[in-house]
Amino acid sequence: MISFLSACKPSGEANKFVATDITGADFGQSFSLTDHTGKLRSMADFKGKVVALFFGYTHCPDVCPTTMHDLKLAMKLLGDQSDQVQVLFVTLDPVRDSQALLAQFIPSFDPRFIALRGSEEEIAATAAVFKIYAKKIEAQGKGGYTVDHSAGMYVFDKEGKIRLYVDYGEKPADIANDIKQLL
């Protein structure tokens, strides 16, 4: 019976993305935050590029640096097409993630990547618009806390429409292939 059902589905209708296709979602349409150079940015600034948007923080011990490294590798796999992609990192820890710290952290992965920040209230409001979970967790040690947060990222098409949700740990090759399909 399974072969019968799959035979009825035209081959072109198979899910073409590895990531979760959320085309048509009515959340996460824009933001207004300051980048790591001090310039006010919104989603409209990146129209004409595919945008990969990730929420994290620089003191993150694992998820954030791993995701940024995976995005760096995905950009390398895209080759010349990577110039049509903008990676955005929104800090969930604006208290510790100063503009100066973000200006060092983000370009260490790729000089084209942009970090975004705002006040604690602006970050909380932006996270809510994008349905991002974030909560400070008190911890022993130098920083005094960590931030428990959603680990996936969103990908927007060249028109600025949200299209994909990429789970944490997705392979850079799969991220690059999904992005290629939006270019």
Side-chain angles (χ1 to χ4, degrees), residues 47 77 145:
K47 197 164 188 168
L77 291 169
Y145 65 91

Side-chain angles (χ1 to χ4, degrees), residues 35-37 96-107 117:
D35 73 16
H36 65 271
T37 69
R96 292 187 292 192
D97 288 347
S98 66
Q99 181 179 331
L101 179 58
L102 290 169
Q104 290 179 336
F105 179 75
I106 290 304
R117 68 180 313 275

Side-chain angles (χ1 to χ4, degrees), residues 97-126:
D97 288 347
S98 66
Q99 181 179 331
L101 179 58
L102 290 169
Q104 290 179 336
F105 179 75
I106 290 304
S108 72
F109 294 99
D110 187 307
R112 298 169 292 187
F113 290 6
I114 295 175
L116 299 167
R117 68 180 313 275
S119 67
E120 288 184 88
E121 295 78 20
E122 290 168 326
I123 293 300
T126 302

